Amino acid sequence: MTPTTLADFLLPDGFERPRVHAVLGEGRVIGEAGRYALEAVHLRGERRHTPYSHRATGRAEDPVMLVPGFMAGDGTLALMRRALQQQGLRTYRSHIRANVGCTLDVAAQMEMRLESIAERRGSLVRIVGHSLGGMLARGVAARRPDLVSGLVTMGSPMLAPGAHHVSLSASVAMLVRLSRAGIPGVMAEDCVSGTCARRSFDDGRAPLADSVDFTAIYSRRDGIVDWRACIDPLATPVEVRASHVGMAIDPRVIAAVTAALRPAFSAVEVDRGEIA
């Protein structure tokens, strides 16, 4: 078995890896970053002309924890976190510096963090997860409905984790090699082809309690994962026009996330599941 070999069950029939050249579309993240910057300038201008007494927005009942994707840390969701805070949401980091470890260990870390937030705020928590972060969050939400009231995933291929670009396979292979060399805290072979992979995959497809609302955001422009694998049958699907990486910063995606977290306060128009 080679380090790049994934268990067959991670790539079920009906799904496929994005074509090699699909990753070029991820260059759209530059434009998406520019769109975020323009939106930020616009919002600052609006706030300057809005009386302070009219700026405050009602706090959402439940706090929100943001979970980064594969090989990413909390910093990659900092701009989204700031935007959600401006909407009156109380947000929390996951305390993941780099999402490169054993998926079961990371999920356990997330669960402990949720317990801490829930105890501190005296309420359930909503989770927003990007890519792998969303997959892990779904498993935790299924296991701990006593902690989680809602879940929003962004570009998370829960139905086929192996339906990802070859560049990700290369990154996984690197982590496996590091693990074999004795480097602690990185993804081992068991996480991609053994019992650890099987359990993580099953956790990410487990039934959700009726009390947990679930929105799955996906993009046909995703150059990293098969967008079809991101549409969980238990979720409300929302399509956006964004790259995989850009989902963390594109204002249109942030609007979709806000709509999922606080539909009563959202002015986003949803037409057949697509955010224009």
Side-chain angles (χ1 to χ4, degrees), residues 53-94:
S53 59
H54 295 166
R55 291 182 186 179
T57 57
R59 288 285 188 185
E61 180 180 354
D62 298 333
V64 180
M65 184 177 79
L66 284 77
V67 186
F70 178 56
M71 298 191 77
D74 285 329
T76 60
L77 294 175
L79 295 180
M80 176 173 286
R81 182 169 177 260
R82 180 185 302 173
L84 294 178
Q85 288 174 338
Q86 291 174 345
Q87 294 296 322
L89 290 156
R90 191 185 300 275
T91 65
Y92 290 85
R93 300 179 180 88
S94 65

Side-chain angles (χ1 to χ4, degrees), residues 234-247:
L234 299 182
T236 299
V238 175
E239 182 176 0
V240 296
R241 299 187 181 98
S243 66
H244 184 84
V245 176
M247 286 187 186

Side-chain angles (χ1 to χ4, degrees), residues 23 58 61 68 75 107 109 140 171 184 186-187 191 195 203:
V23 73
E61 180 180 354
Q109 177 184 340
V140 173
S171 298
V186 295
M187 195 173 291
C191 295
T195 56
D203 286 351

